Amino acid sequence: MTYQRGFTLIEALVALAILAFGLMGIAAMQLNALNSATRGYQHSVATLAAVDAQERLWETLLTLPPADDCKDISLSSVRSSWQTHWGRNSPSNPLRSADLALQPISDRDCDYKITVKLDDAEADDEGYGNVNYTVRLPTR
């Protein structure tokens, strides 16, 4: 009676196929983790940009004559200065395609909704795409 030693070619191919599928799964997880980290970073910078828009609103309010209130703020000039700063077309700028929307909240005085749109697409199911920020400016 002869004894067989080692693996057959079929066993080795099956083992390599299983290993290949496992490595493809690890690569997919790595890509997903990289995508999530990039989105998280972009979302953090967009939150910072929304706070910057709030500070620009506040600064514009302080430059108005004392008789004017926050309803006299020129939202287009605030948006323009924000876009000049955050819309630089540089590869290192995570907000190079972002847009800013400033809307007064009609039922409250001096409340504004600041929306930083991260890209042209709508917000997806995970909540990425837009950063919404609500701010209340002081009345004078």
Side-chain angles (χ1 to χ4, degrees), residues 43-66:
H43 197 273
S44 297
V45 174
T47 302
L48 180 66
V51 171
D52 179 58
Q54 171 197 350
E55 291 174 358
R56 289 173 193 273
L57 284 170
W58 187 289
E59 177 186 24
T60 304
L61 175 65
L62 293 177
T63 60
L64 291 175

Side-chain angles (χ1 to χ4, degrees), residues 49 52 56 79-89 93:
D52 179 58
R56 289 173 193 273
R79 184 181 179 279
S80 175
S81 67
W82 183 92
Q83 192 67 36
T84 300
H85 179 76
W86 290 99
R88 293 186 208 127
N89 196 8
N93 182 4

Side-chain angles (χ1 to χ4, degrees), residues 15-33:
L16 282 175
I18 292 171
L19 179 65
F21 281 118
L23 290 176
M24 286 192 314
I26 290 172
M29 286 190 313
Q30 185 70 19
L31 286 174
N32 192 15

